[in-house]
Amino acid sequence: MRDEVRFLSAVAVLLLFISCARSGEPSGPGTGGAGTEAASALPPASPDGGSAAAAAPRVAFTLFRNVRIFDGKAGKLTDLRNVMVHGNIIERVSSGSLPIPADAKVTVIDAGGRTLMPGLIDVHWHAMVIRPTPAQAIAGDVGYNNIAAGAEATDTLLRGFTTVRDVGGPAFGLKQAIDEGVIAGPRIFPSGAMITTTSGHGDFRQLSELPRTVGGTLSRVEQIGASMVADSPDEVRVRVREQLMQGASQIKLAAGGGVSSPHSPIDVLTFTEAELRAAVESAENWGTYVTVHAFTPAAIQRAIAAGVRCIEHGFLMDEASAKLIASKGVWLSLQPIPEELIQVYPVGSVERAKAEEVWLGVARTYELAKKYKIKTAFGTDVLFSQALAQRQGAILASLVRWYGPAEVLVMATGTNAQLLAMSGKRSPYSGKLGVVEEGALADLLLVDGNPIADIRLVENPSKNFVLIMKDGKIYKNTLSR
Ligand SMILES: [Zn+2]
């Protein structure tokens, strides 16, 4: 009994300590560093290897003078404007001069007619598995993998991608480190582990690891939170709620086979409709939504029947499933997969055959998305390749095969932000993203040129993005040297 009392009082002290620490936190991981002044007290980020500003300046106001604005919605630039950023918010946009508040420390950027646009958004990103090999990602040291992901996150931000939606991977710690200012990186909308079935896409177990005992020991990928196997509605509910508990802003399931997974043929259906519905109910109870990996018409149709709100890829869809996606107002998260991604799989391998079958459908899928006016979002799905990640902007620019340059830029800013907004109150960041307008969050790029006239400017961010701001902080500024 005495032991129990001692234990309970120890718990009480611990809880008290935790709540004190939390109330003293200026800007916790859940708030996304909304308070600029508070966040700037944290260790400064050191972006761009010295070629850029050494640290985010500790100022409350930034005034951009003489910018032409691409606002993330309209397909053209404005005439010259002045823009005042206060803290992390775009406070004023004006064609007249903006008075500098008395007694405020103001950073003035004379942009000389350059283009001010919203930070780019990639809604199909895997922050934890860009740099490692598959073997390193699964079996390698978790600390190393997190540090490599941190370095890549800084590069991602300096490519002008100020927000990513992570659709599978243990990115919660990375997100916390970024939001607290420990390292520089984009905002992350995390899904946590991708949830799959036995033998589904994301089940990377060896056959020697079978059979699994339900409720028994977890496999390595489950232990590190990369993907979770669930084979009944009840198991799905547990896994979904575990991701939500860790701060997932949306839930990702694999509704059909995948290219890189060793034991999942492309044509198979994995989850039953009841299992998918269990995920949808759990996510909706939490105010958010489910997105699924799905290639085939059958996987797409079953997911939509279960209430899924977003389809990833959809590369093997047909006219009927395209019509269904459009009529239900479901999002299609599409990626212009570059051809060299097929080449990474050896000729003659099962994965190569799957890659060719699936990715040759990319062009037709874009045609269907346009034909049926599907709500289409942009992502890259770069995996296991730092070199390909460096071409993130070039992958975006490759969309001009199907869209005008202005449409491409709207998709990667204002439109992508609408998809992110489906996270509702589970969004980690309060405020509007993807647009330049009064009251929106100050995630901004200053482009040396007009990206609507020359979309290829986004292919070379280190040269052409002369200033990068996220949450009101300047992470790169090559103008004021
Ligand atoms: Zn993916």
Side-chain angles (χ1 to χ4, degrees), residues 88-234:
N88 66 336
I89 298 294
I90 300 167
E91 191 172 71
R92 287 290 308 280
V93 177
S94 173
S95 53
S97 67
L98 291 172
I100 293 176
D103 301 327
K105 191 178 176 199
V106 183
T107 299
V108 178
I109 309 288
D110 197 333
R114 293 180 178 84
T115 305
L116 190 73
M117 63 174 282
L120 298 168
I121 301 171
D122 187 330
V123 297
H124 195 117
W125 192 244
H126 298 276
M128 295 302 294
V129 285
I130 304 298
R131 293 200 181 179
T133 62
Q136 171 68 31
I138 293 170
D141 184 87
V142 169
Y144 173 87
N145 287 344
N146 273 284
I147 290 168
E152 181 56 42
T154 303
D155 282 2
T156 306
L157 177 62
L158 293 174
R159 287 192 293 267
F161 285 84
T162 51
T163 302
V164 298
R165 188 178 63 144
D166 192 289
V167 281
F172 295 118
L174 174 67
K175 176 188 174 295
Q176 183 179 354
I178 292 169
D179 290 347
E180 291 179 355
V182 177
I183 52 158
R187 300 176 191 273
I188 297 180
F189 280 70
S191 307
M194 180 170 77
I195 300 164
T196 190
T197 61
T198 289
S199 201
H201 181 46
D203 180 359
F204 287 99
R205 287 174 299 169
Q206 308 294 314
L207 295 179
S208 58
E209 293 175 74
L210 303 184
R212 172 172 82 109
T213 306
V214 175
T217 312
L218 296 174
S219 67
R220 171 70 179 172
V221 290
E222 293 174 299
Q223 287 168 8
I224 63 173
S227 55
M228 299 298 296
V229 172
D231 287 310
S232 70
D234 287 342

Side-chain angles (χ1 to χ4, degrees), residues 413-462:
T413 54
T415 304
N416 270 1
Q418 288 171 25
L419 169 56
L420 296 177
M422 288 215 305
S423 290
K425 288 183 177 175
R426 297 292 80 72
S427 167
Y429 310 100
S430 55
K432 207 165 176 184
L433 291 167
V435 289
V436 179
E437 62 180 40
E438 290 180 357
L441 289 166
D443 292 2
L444 297 167
L445 311 177
L446 194 57
V447 186
D448 194 9
N450 176 354
I452 295 175
D454 182 7
I455 188 76
R456 298 197 64 181
L457 291 170
V458 306
E459 294 181 6
N460 190 351
S462 67

